[in-house]
Amino acid sequence: MASYTTADQIDLATVADRYALEGTRLTPLPGGAANSSFHLWSAGGEYVLTILDNHDLSSARRLAVHTQAVFGLGIRTTEILPSVDGDLVTKLGDRPVILKRWIAGEVLDPLPVSLLPVAGRTLAHIHQLEPHTPGLNDVPRGTRRLSDEQEAVISQFVDEEFGSWLAEQLKRVHVAEANREHAKSIVHGDLFADNIIVTGDGEIAVLDWETVSLDDPLLDLGMAIVGLGQESGLLAPERMDALVAGYREVAILDETELGALPVQIISAAVIIAYHRYLRHNIRFPNPDKNKIHLEMVEFVNSVEENFPLPA
């Protein structure tokens, strides 16, 4: 696990020199499970300085290029600013750094129901991005899905009951997907409230493109429902309906796809459950979070209560 960068470790003079800034100061921003971000002020404006603690220079450049490509295609997201040398990524010490233009607004969790159609429309616009566009033509495939190697680890989980639950749910998902053809599009992979900035004009900006990939848009919609369609840890049909309604204003979802959506919601929840268990019980054991994966079990139960699903 990377050690995260603190404000006192940042050489502001070097940052100012790299980006031709004057009168700089910064404060840490909350959140960020993988990187360290700071609100940076200068005489010329406000920015976000992100230290990519969990990236090497190559992966940092891919993230920067993908983010800038999405921005250039009209999705409201962070604009990455080049250094004076024209690079989207620079380094402070041994760590990659990107500078982004500040987006005025706030994170609202839960996202208000009135904004769920906006989020749905935005997700649909993301799914309509042209994957052959320069900057997006090298996105990986299916980064949100569990690989065969990851699924093989489940049998080794100490929590055998949870492991059996995962295996049963994944079997259901695999059977459903084997019987369904689907398109592949650019997907965000992590449309949760903490990756959304609500702006003053009633719109939203989408942050964090680390899980951007080429995949099934219906799985991405399912992931967004896991992230935005809950209430008290359970599926809230009215929240889901508002999100899907916004999505359908932009993209077509026929009856077959709507019928397949509940299984994709379950698939997304299983992926989240797996990674939570792995992170908080195996990779970085945390007694305060070692049961958090079970929230997804209850969530899946609520999906099953709302939709008749095959065993």
Side-chain angles (χ1 to χ4, degrees):
M1 183 178 184
S3 57
Y4 295 103
T5 303
T6 57
D8 61 338
Q9 295 174 310
I10 295 175
D11 183 348
L12 265 181
T14 298
V15 172
D17 183 61
R18 297 273 176 85
Y19 291 98
L21 303 175
E22 296 181 0
T24 56
R25 59 186 177 89
L26 56 75
T27 60
L29 288 170
N35 306 301
S36 307
S37 290
F38 303 84
H39 189 173
L40 187 149
W41 290 264
S42 82
E46 298 178 59
Y47 310 91
V48 174
L49 180 73
T50 297
I51 317 298
L52 297 167
D53 298 301
N54 279 282
H55 285 265
D56 58 24
L57 190 58
S58 178
S59 66
R61 282 176 172 154
R62 285 195 298 273
L63 172 61
V65 168
H66 295 158
T67 304
Q68 198 71 337
V70 170
F71 173 83
L73 289 170
I75 300 298
R76 187 175 287 199
T77 188
T78 45
E79 177 188 6
I80 297 183
L81 302 175
S83 67
V84 292
D85 295 327
D87 296 326
L88 293 179
V89 179
T90 186
K91 292 186 77 174
L92 289 179
D94 61 349
R95 300 194 177 186
V97 174
I98 56 178
L99 185 70
K100 298 170 285 189
R101 198 176 300 281
W102 177 260
I103 299 175
E106 58 183 331
V107 172
L108 299 177
D109 191 5
L111 193 69
V113 173
S114 61
L115 288 174
L116 290 172
V118 180
R121 290 193 294 270
T122 301
L123 189 65
H125 284 303
I126 291 169
H127 293 167
Q128 293 179 341
L129 295 177
E130 174 52 59
H132 300 297
T133 302
L136 294 178
N137 53 7
D138 67 338
V139 298
R141 292 177 176 266
T143 56
R144 254 320 204 176
R145 295 178 181 272
L146 300 182
S147 66
D148 292 342
E149 293 76 14
Q150 288 173 317
E151 288 194 27
V153 174
I154 293 173
S155 62
Q156 303 171 27
F157 284 178
V158 173
D159 187 340
E160 295 180 358
E161 182 178 358
F162 175 65
S164 296
W165 178 85
L166 280 177
E168 291 171 5
Q169 298 299 330
L170 285 167
K171 181 179 179 180
R172 168 191 283 177
V173 169
H174 293 330
V175 168
E177 292 189 338
N179 296 322
R180 172 178 164 263
E181 293 185 5
H182 59 81
K184 287 185 171 61
S185 66
I186 297 294
V187 299
H188 180 271
D190 198 21
L191 194 64
F192 281 54
D194 58 353
N195 284 328
I196 293 173
I197 297 290
V198 178
T199 56
D201 58 358
E203 292 294 324
I204 66 170
V206 177
L207 311 180
D208 190 359
W209 296 88
E210 298 210 38
T211 53
V212 65
S213 68
L214 197 66
D215 207 342
D216 181 359
L218 206 62
L219 174 60
D220 202 32
L221 179 56
M223 189 67 74
I225 291 170
V226 174
L228 303 174
Q230 295 188 47
E231 189 173 281
S232 301
L234 305 179
L235 179 69
E238 66 279 6
R239 293 184 64 82
M240 179 189 73
D241 290 346
L243 182 68
V244 171
Y247 188 93
R248 297 182 78 184
E249 290 179 27
V250 175
I252 296 173
L253 282 180
D254 60 28
E255 292 305 314
T256 299
E257 290 171 314
L258 287 172
L261 182 56
V263 172
Q264 294 304 312
I265 299 171
I266 289 174
S267 177
V270 167
I271 292 167
I272 295 296
Y274 173 93
H275 285 298
R276 285 182 176 180
Y277 180 85
L278 194 72
R279 181 177 183 84
H280 299 301
N281 290 271
I282 298 177
R283 295 182 64 202
F284 315 116
N286 183 344
D288 294 331
K289 295 186 176 182
N290 65 0
K291 299 294 184 183
I292 193 173
H293 57 283
L294 298 179
E295 294 177 1
M296 288 294 101
V297 176
E298 293 303 313
F299 177 79
V300 167
N301 289 341
S302 71
V303 175
E304 293 173 332
E305 289 173 0
N306 280 276
F307 298 100
L309 296 169

